[in-house]
Amino acid sequence: MSRHIEDLPEQLGRLGDGMAAKNLSRGVLAGQEFPPLVALVRSSNSLEEAGSRWKVRPLRELVDDAMRLHAESDRTRADAWLAPRLHSTLRLTRAEAADSALWNFVALVVAPDYVVWRHLSKGSEEKGPSVTADRFCGPHYKHAFARLWWAAELFRDGSDYRPVVTACRNQDILNTVLRLDVVDHRPTARAVTRLLEERTVRTGREVNALATAVNTAGSTLMYDVLAPDEGPDAEALRHWIDECDLAPPVPREALPDGPEDGEVPHGAVDRMVKQLETLFAEAPVRGREHLDAAEAPHGG
């Protein structure tokens, strides 16, 4: 099953949490039926601002391409492809992206088939395949679309989305690190992806151990003092959002460009990398002893 563009409203809207949850029937969660389109659209509120950045068609076409391009592969790989392109297509401020009603509309009205395609469980003998309700209507780190947009926002390096791809290739980054408040600090977020790029951190267990260590240390260490960051250029971000009317569809083969709102300070990232390396070296990782022994040279 798939949603046809011709059946959808032209503009995005806002669907309240209560109405969204009310329409998540067992059939919807099992992927056996669509949420009721007409009723949901009638229950939605129009966005106060009009403009091309709120058009449904570019978003729906992007979702269709994500499913088509990853139909024969592990569907988790779609995350790294879709996250930067979703962010560049749906140009939002962080305040706008914090509105759960917008994401409810995207998941239940625009692309419920994608939510099922990406997150349908295999099920068991006692319980058939299903999607958890929080993939349609849930916190930003669980919602099928919000988590990808926020991953792109938090892990990008200015206009460079390559760190986003690195982050989204590891499901434990999305499932664990994304929910931590410390990734709002840009040098910390960039340092995490650096450790992945340098293969200092590789496995899911290691990512989870690092996340625990970073979050615990964050209560006593002032990361913004250790690695100062003035933050992104708000005016440049606004310009990037405003020029959405002139922007072509995001490329499917190459990565798009994000807002030119400033790279993360390199010196601050270097300091955070050293700090995170120290924390990770002391963090307990289940199975680390066996891994170290296996990789040690003979006689070492």
Side-chain angles (χ1 to χ4, degrees):
M1 295 192 302
S2 64
R3 275 272 161 88
H4 298 292
I5 294 178
E6 293 75 15
D7 298 330
L8 298 175
E10 292 186 5
Q11 299 277 326
L12 295 173
R14 300 180 68 258
L15 180 65
D17 293 340
M19 184 58 63
K22 179 180 178 181
N23 285 278
L24 290 176
S25 65
R26 290 184 180 181
V28 170
L29 296 177
Q32 298 170 350
E33 60 186 40
F34 277 125
L37 178 61
V38 175
L40 289 173
V41 171
R42 288 177 177 172
S43 301
S44 300
N45 297 318
S46 300
L47 296 169
E48 294 181 1
E49 175 193 343
S52 62
R53 73 184 179 117
W54 303 116
K55 288 188 178 298
V56 164
R57 178 175 287 272
L59 184 57
R60 180 66 233 191
E61 291 177 344
L62 182 65
V63 169
D64 285 337
D65 285 345
M67 292 189 287
R68 176 179 58 83
L69 292 171
H70 299 88
E72 304 300 327
S73 65
D74 179 355
R75 294 180 180 182
T76 61
R77 295 184 180 181
D79 292 345
W81 185 91
L82 183 55
R85 292 169 176 84
L86 174 66
H87 186 272
S88 189
T89 298
L90 194 53
R91 301 188 179 191
L92 306 171
T93 65
R94 289 192 177 189
E96 290 168 338
D99 182 5
S100 63
L102 175 65
W103 297 114
N104 294 342
F105 189 94
V106 173
L108 276 86
V109 175
V110 179
D113 49 329
Y114 174 84
V115 182
V116 172
W117 176 87
R118 172 61 184 84
H119 293 287
L120 188 69
S121 69
K122 294 182 179 179
S124 62
E125 293 183 1
E126 297 79 16
K127 185 178 179 181
S130 66
V131 179
T132 58
D134 54 15
R135 298 299 188 183
F136 284 97
C137 174
H140 75 278
Y141 53 83
K142 295 289 288 185
H143 189 282
F145 291 102
R147 72 188 193 115
L148 299 181
W149 191 96
W150 278 103
E153 172 66 11
L154 295 172
F155 290 109
R156 66 183 175 87
D157 188 359
S159 63
D160 185 2
Y161 283 121
R162 287 177 296 179
V164 177
V165 175
T166 299
C168 292
R169 282 176 175 164
N170 189 305
Q171 289 298 300
D172 289 280
I173 293 289
L174 294 175
N175 294 335
T176 304
V177 178
L178 188 60
R179 67 178 65 196
L180 303 180
D181 291 341
V182 292
V183 294
D184 287 340
H185 182 240
R186 296 197 306 165
T188 297
R190 184 67 186 99
V192 169
T193 56
R194 277 269 301 273
L195 293 186
L196 289 170
E197 292 164 359
E198 296 166 2
R199 295 188 61 76
T200 302
V201 175
R202 292 170 290 179
T203 68
R205 290 177 180 176
E206 291 175 344
V207 168
N208 290 329
L210 175 65
T212 300
V214 169
N215 197 47
T216 301
S219 62
T220 55
L221 292 174
M222 296 294 290
Y223 288 151
D224 53 350
V225 174
L226 176 65
D229 175 29
E230 295 182 356
D233 183 338
E235 185 175 341
L237 175 62
R238 189 71 248 179
H239 175 73
W240 181 72
I241 291 174
D242 290 342
E243 70 175 8
C244 181
D245 291 344
L246 305 175
V250 295
R252 271 39 174 179
E253 298 296 331
L255 282 175
D257 292 325
E260 296 280 357
D261 57 355
E263 294 181 348
V264 185
H266 295 180
V269 176
D270 290 340
R271 286 190 288 274
M272 284 308 306
V273 167
K274 292 180 180 179
Q275 181 65 39
L276 266 57
E277 286 175 340
T278 300
L279 293 173
F280 178 64
E282 299 171 353
V285 181
R286 187 162 57 92
R288 175 183 274 178
E289 299 83 359
H290 301 293
L291 181 62
D292 291 342
E295 292 184 347
H298 293 295

